[in-house]
Amino acid sequence: MEYVQERIATLHDFRTQPTQRPQRTRRGQRAETARESGETAPAGEREYEREHDRQPEFPTDDHLRETAIVVPMAGREHDSPAAARVLAELERLDPAPAAVFVPVRADPDRIEPFREWLASFSLPIRVLWCNAPAVEAVLADAGLPNGEGTGKGRDVWLALGPAAEAAEFIVVHDADARSYEATHVRRLIAPLAMNQEFEFTKGYYARIEQNRLYGRLFRLFYRPLLRAVGDEHDADVLSYLDSFRYALAGEFAMTADLARRLRAPQAWGLEVGILGDAFEHAGFEGSAQVDLGRHVHDHRAVAGDTGLEGMSREVAATLCRVLEEGGVELNYETLPERYLAAGRRLIDQYRADAAFNELAYDPAAERDQLERYADSIGPPGLDRRLPEWTNAPVEPASVLAASQPWLDDATRLETSADD
């Protein structure tokens, strides 16, 4: 158990979560055996059982009514076990959230089955078809990114505008966590509800699956790149970005006011770009991170444009832009080599950590990833971020209407959250 605080507030979970109970099998088995035999467990053990079997509670129930949840989905998430678990867990929230916005990127022949599946959950779901022809037309008319080259970042941005109109707090999370629990929503909004002027919360968690370390893009790209930059620079933005234990986590929450001020990257740089805006608007004092336990995610391949290699290029461009805007002058000629050196040092540490926990570890494969990611490091290029909703050339209501072509004007005016 550790009590370390970063420069941002770090909210640990010292209570055992339901998904973590198997880790205390021996002690739990002794208590079960004692009960079955009629014996009385020792006082300390009884207290342990009572304390660690208790469902975690947070002072956020009243705030759920003021919370909108954004769950971006791509076509592959339709009826997937991970996405189904996320939605089923959200059904358990009591009281129900103000709205659940699901920005969907799907082919025209798949959007209706997708909507029908989403409607099978007892949730106040609002579906946004993000690549609908009407959406593309509205964005093109406003001079905003549309068509090819857009992705998750733009989809989340499309939902943030309407979500900020619907609720005071906004929670965003991915739909690929097979270990997702409804309590994650409560954990993420807890700092915002603590009356301590937090505006932004980031989730962090362990990525240990199949007896090995995951979280590869964070471990092998984001972290060593920041260390390489930190060897030559000392800036507040570096300290801020390095304070997050899992900076690339797709689980975060914010006030509606902050959501309106985000300039979202169009695709996979979303999480890093949001950290840059959170640094600018919330800063150290207004930011927190909260323990979400251990996550099991669907995985991507390393190689190719759709794998981690392709994602690293967008993460690199966004991260370098955030650093430059924070006053850090980057030497792109030497940075790739310094990144590789920092990554090799971290691999030695990961290998020791894996050995200590009896996990499988392949240093050669990890070094191969370093080499692939090093080619991604370079100047960020043209800034194609989406504008703040406070200064956007479109209105949230227009985007919402364009993304729901199945509703006629009369129905749209009368619809409830269950559309």
Side-chain angles (χ1 to χ4, degrees):
M1 183 179 294
E2 48 85 12
Y3 303 90
V4 176
Q5 285 292 332
E6 312 290 350
R7 283 194 66 182
I8 61 171
T10 301
L11 282 63
H12 309 84
D13 182 12
F14 299 133
R15 298 164 293 189
T16 299
Q17 302 174 49
T19 53
Q20 295 173 316
R21 287 176 185 167
Q23 296 177 6
R24 54 183 184 83
T25 300
R26 292 181 182 176
R27 186 172 291 185
Q29 284 179 342
R30 287 201 300 271
E32 289 295 330
T33 302
R35 284 194 288 271
E36 290 171 2
S37 64
E39 299 175 11
T40 302
E45 193 160 291
R46 291 199 305 273
E47 183 62 29
Y48 178 94
E49 292 296 318
R50 286 197 299 271
E51 183 68 23
H52 291 265
D53 281 334
R54 188 177 300 133
Q55 178 71 21
E57 297 177 358
F58 297 90
T60 55
D61 281 355
D62 289 342
H63 298 281
L64 283 173
R65 297 185 179 90
E66 304 164 7
T67 298
I69 302 170
V70 176
V71 189
M73 294 190 188
R76 66 178 178 277
E77 260 102 32
H78 176 216
D79 207 15
S80 73
R85 177 188 174 106
V86 168
L87 295 170
E89 282 291 309
L90 291 179
E91 285 182 311
R92 297 177 56 212
L93 289 174
D94 186 18
V100 178
F101 289 87
V102 182
V104 173
R105 180 168 291 257
D107 293 335
D109 62 339
R110 298 304 303 158
I111 188 62
E112 277 304 312
F114 217 127
R115 286 184 58 231
E116 291 174 5
W117 173 64
L118 291 172
S120 70
F121 294 90
S122 181
L123 286 167
I125 288 180
R126 302 184 185 183
V127 181
L128 288 81
W129 183 19
C130 294
N131 56 321
V135 171
E136 301 292 358
V138 166
L139 297 179
D141 289 344
L144 295 175
N146 60 90
E148 294 295 326
T150 62
K152 175 186 175 182
R154 196 198 71 170
D155 296 351
V156 170
W157 179 83
L158 288 172
L160 287 179
E165 298 290 309
E168 181 179 351
F169 306 120
I170 299 172
V171 173
V172 180
H173 60 70
D174 293 333
D176 63 351
R178 289 178 279 132
S179 55
Y180 181 83
E181 295 176 6
T183 189
H184 293 169
V185 174
R186 288 187 167 92
R187 293 168 189 268
L188 286 166
I189 65 173
L192 307 180
M194 281 181 177
N195 207 22
Q196 294 188 23
E197 299 185 357
F198 290 121
E199 298 179 71
F200 177 74
T201 310
K202 183 83 166 177
Y204 72 90
Y205 39 82
R207 291 292 311 277
I208 303 172
E209 307 169 34
Q210 302 169 343
N211 199 43
R212 66 183 65 245
L213 299 173
Y214 275 90
R216 295 162 291 174
L217 198 62
F218 173 74
R219 288 191 301 105
L220 297 170
F221 185 64
Y222 180 94
R223 183 66 82 187
L225 183 54
L226 278 187
R227 290 201 176 180
V229 175
D231 288 341
E232 296 189 350
H233 297 276
D234 181 15
D236 279 346
V237 67
L238 266 173
S239 179
Y240 184 84
L241 294 172
D242 202 37
S243 294
F244 291 92
R245 298 187 174 191
Y246 194 18
L248 300 186
E251 290 72 26
F252 51 92
M254 72 204 86
T255 62
D257 183 59
L258 178 59
R260 294 186 183 99
R261 290 182 288 172
L262 298 180
R263 299 163 297 169
Q266 295 182 42
W268 296 115
L270 174 68
E271 288 78 14
V272 177
I274 284 177
L275 287 183
D277 285 340
F279 170 71
E280 179 180 349
H281 297 296
F284 290 100
E285 298 300 320
S287 302
Q289 60 183 337
V290 62
D291 188 353
L292 298 183
R294 180 181 294 185
H295 271 208
V296 178
H297 278 254
D298 291 337
H299 301 139
R300 288 182 177 269
V302 174
D305 290 341
T306 61
L308 297 181
E309 187 175 9
M311 292 174 66
S312 72
R313 290 192 287 272
E314 298 190 34
V315 171
T318 306
L319 180 55
C320 289
R321 174 168 287 109
V322 168
L323 291 170
E324 288 182 353
E325 290 183 345
V328 178
E329 295 185 8
L330 299 174
N331 183 339
Y332 290 105
E333 291 186 3
T334 64
L335 186 55
E337 191 57 43
R338 289 185 287 114
Y339 154 77
L340 287 171
R344 294 181 190 116
R345 291 193 297 270
L346 277 169
I347 284 176
D348 289 338
Q349 295 176 331
Y350 296 143
R351 178 167 50 186
D353 202 3
F356 181 77
N357 287 282
E358 298 182 331
L359 301 174
Y361 191 71
D362 187 347
E366 302 254 297
R367 286 192 292 269
D368 176 70
Q369 288 189 58
L370 287 181
E371 297 289 342
R372 290 177 180 273
Y373 301 151
D375 292 337
S376 300
I377 301 171
L382 183 66
D383 185 357
R384 300 185 68 228
R385 284 174 295 185
L386 292 146
E388 299 180 20
W389 274 107
T390 57
N391 193 35
V394 293
E395 294 295 327
S398 299
V399 167
L400 191 59
S403 71
Q404 298 176 327
W406 47 86
L407 298 180
D408 59 31
D409 290 340
T411 304
R412 187 173 290 112
L413 288 173
E414 298 174 0
T415 189
S416 69
D418 296 312
D419 57 24

